[in-house]
Amino acid sequence: MQFGIFSVGDVTPDPTTGRTPTEAERIKAILRIAEKAEEVGLDVFATGEHHNPPFVPSSPTTMLGWVAARTENLVLSTATTLITTNDPVKIAEDFAMLQHVADGRVDLMLGRGNTGPVYPWFGKDIREGIPLAIENYALLHKLWREDVVDWEGKFRTPLQSFTATPRPLDGVPPFVWHGSIRSPEIAEQAAYYGDGFFHNNIFWPMEHTKRMVRLYRNRYAHYGHGTPEQAIVGLGGQVFMRKNSQEAVREFRPYFDNAPVYGHGPSLEEFTSQTPLTVGSPQQVIERTLSFRKDVGDYQRQLFLMDHAGLPLKTVLEQLDILGEEVVPVLREEFAKDRPAGVPDAPTHASLRARARESADSEAVTK
């Protein structure tokens, strides 16, 4: 099972000091956080994509290319790449290039995006979000698997004898996760292609996450990709840790109360009781995270949001030390216990390449 972190890249004032980092400071902080993720033994770093204040990650592949050059093992991903407002041709080429730069340590999460004004900025209509996601991914999927593409759809100009360059590394496209909070159509899309489904798992009660994952698993099996238990599932979550829960709550409260995602709504106590947000000791985070398996079954990827709401870089790095030293080793051991043999690991470039070679060898034998 993979463990990692994701960043939404918000530029938020620190409510305890009143200071707001510059965009340059925030970008550099995100890059340092990515390096730290590898240093503490995590598997994945993912960055969001945003084109509106107070967020800065407008060019995820630029950031991930830098991280690729500074790391050796970290899987580089997104959370999410906007399949609705980005051109599928550009996504195909950008992430194939990143594959080559990072020696295959790349996958991506596709999502619709939930910021309404972004759509018209890129000439799109938010009311067509689902059709855009479906059509654009159909084209992206084709671009990565066919050397010469003829295509015509509703939302972009036709393609005639087009080849996206570079071609995917080793002929193996990056693995795709489809990310969604509330859209069953996206769970259906992930299942149709046999791709992964990632549920944000931050804002909603666990019962909602459970229903979405169950839908995806059942439809994955319906389309003949395997059993429901073999479907590829990822979860998000946010945690804040100190030695004891009282200290954690006291320190995190002002950040929660003013967060662009959480703030000025339900109280911290209400949110932690009704959603997977966990603020407490490392043991509490371990117990809460392990409980997710009871609701969604054995899954492949767990990402934590660690740097939201104006938390200073020093604090985030301390959080990552706790995560890497005290939490993830226990989670790895516990999640491995009683894991059915038929449940696959999270796909990697190496595993996808091996599968492609096995398929090619099998076809050669039958001819």
Side-chain angles (χ1 to χ4, degrees):
M1 183 165 170
Q2 294 177 336
F3 296 93
I5 57 172
F6 70 101
S7 175
V8 297
D10 58 306
V11 181
T12 304
D14 183 332
T16 67
T17 65
R19 185 181 184 278
T20 303
T22 66
E23 289 183 331
E25 288 171 335
R26 185 66 174 108
I27 291 167
K28 293 292 188 180
I30 295 170
L31 297 177
R32 177 67 190 106
I33 289 165
E35 287 184 296
K36 184 71 170 181
E38 171 146 303
E39 291 170 13
V40 301
L42 301 184
D43 305 305
V44 183
F45 172 78
T47 175
E49 177 190 344
H50 297 277
H51 300 276
N52 56 293
F55 305 97
V56 291
S58 59
S59 182
T61 53
T62 303
M63 297 179 70
L64 294 176
W66 187 96
V67 176
R70 301 291 291 252
T71 58
E72 296 181 357
N73 302 307
L74 207 58
V75 175
L76 311 174
S77 191
T78 54
T80 63
T81 296
L82 302 179
I83 188 61
T84 47
T85 53
N86 280 305
D87 183 356
V89 172
K90 196 68 170 74
I91 296 176
E93 295 187 333
D94 281 352
F95 280 88
M97 177 65 78
L98 183 60
Q99 265 194 317
H100 287 271
V101 169
D103 296 324
R105 294 184 287 122
V106 174
D107 59 34
L108 71 160
M109 187 194 309
L110 297 176
R112 291 190 297 126
N114 56 11
T115 306
V118 173
Y119 281 76
W121 295 342
F122 290 88
K124 307 299 180 183
D125 185 337
I126 194 172
R127 293 170 295 184
E128 295 179 323
I130 293 293
L132 275 165
I134 292 171
E135 180 177 297
N136 282 355
Y137 183 59
L139 174 56
L140 176 60
H141 191 270
K142 190 179 184 76
L143 288 166
W144 274 336
R145 288 163 175 82
E146 297 181 18
D147 289 340
V148 181
V149 172
D150 293 306
W151 182 89
E152 185 171 351
K154 176 181 177 182
F155 296 110
R156 80 173 314 279
T157 53
L159 297 173
Q160 296 179 347
S161 301
F162 176 76
T163 299
T165 59
R167 304 304 298 146
L169 179 64
D170 301 321
V172 178
F175 185 73
V176 170
W177 303 81
H178 298 257
S180 179
I181 298 173
R182 61 185 181 276
S183 301
E185 296 92 341
I186 301 304
E188 178 79 17
Q189 183 182 41
Y192 176 80
Y193 287 99
D195 295 336
F197 178 66
F198 188 93
H199 196 278
N200 182 282
N201 199 35
I202 288 179
F203 307 109
W204 291 63
M206 199 63 198
E207 186 59 34
H208 170 77
T209 302
K210 181 178 178 179
R211 288 195 298 269
M212 290 286 286
V213 173
R214 184 192 304 124
L215 168 65
Y216 160 69
R217 287 189 184 278
N218 289 339
R219 298 303 289 171
Y220 180 95
H222 168 80
Y223 287 114
H225 300 298
T227 66
E229 294 74 23
Q230 292 173 322
I232 307 299
V233 173
L235 296 181
Q238 183 171 8
V239 299
F240 186 85
M241 298 169 286
R242 288 304 184 200
K243 289 184 178 180
N244 60 69
S245 59
Q246 294 84 359
E247 182 183 353
V249 169
R250 183 172 57 254
E251 184 175 347
F252 188 67
R253 186 182 300 280
Y255 296 96
F256 174 90
D257 288 345
N258 293 278
V261 169
Y262 296 114
H264 312 292
S267 69
L268 175 58
E269 285 73 18
E270 290 171 323
F271 225 99
T272 52
S273 68
Q274 297 174 21
T275 78
L277 172 65
T278 308
V279 180
S281 67
Q283 185 59 37
Q284 286 174 301
V285 169
I286 290 168
E287 292 172 0
R288 189 75 174 276
T289 306
L290 288 174
S291 74
F292 296 164
R293 180 164 60 175
K294 173 176 63 69
D295 293 306
V296 304
D298 286 281
Y299 60 109
Q300 283 73 25
R301 175 175 286 184
Q302 174 67 56
L303 300 184
F304 297 102
L305 177 61
M306 307 294 289
D307 67 334
H308 178 56
L311 286 166
L313 177 60
K314 177 178 180 294
T315 300
V316 177
L317 298 180
E318 291 170 352
Q319 293 291 302
L320 289 173
D321 279 329
I322 299 170
L323 187 69
E325 295 170 8
E326 301 183 43
V327 174
V328 166
V330 178
L331 291 177
R332 288 193 197 280
E333 182 178 349
E334 292 300 318
F335 272 114
K337 291 180 180 178
D338 303 319
R339 189 176 179 91
V343 174
D345 294 328
T348 63
H349 182 75
S351 68
L352 294 173
R353 181 178 58 195
R355 185 189 307 172
R357 288 176 177 172
E358 289 175 5
S359 178
D361 291 345
S362 177
E363 288 181 9
V365 169
T366 59
K367 287 183 179 179

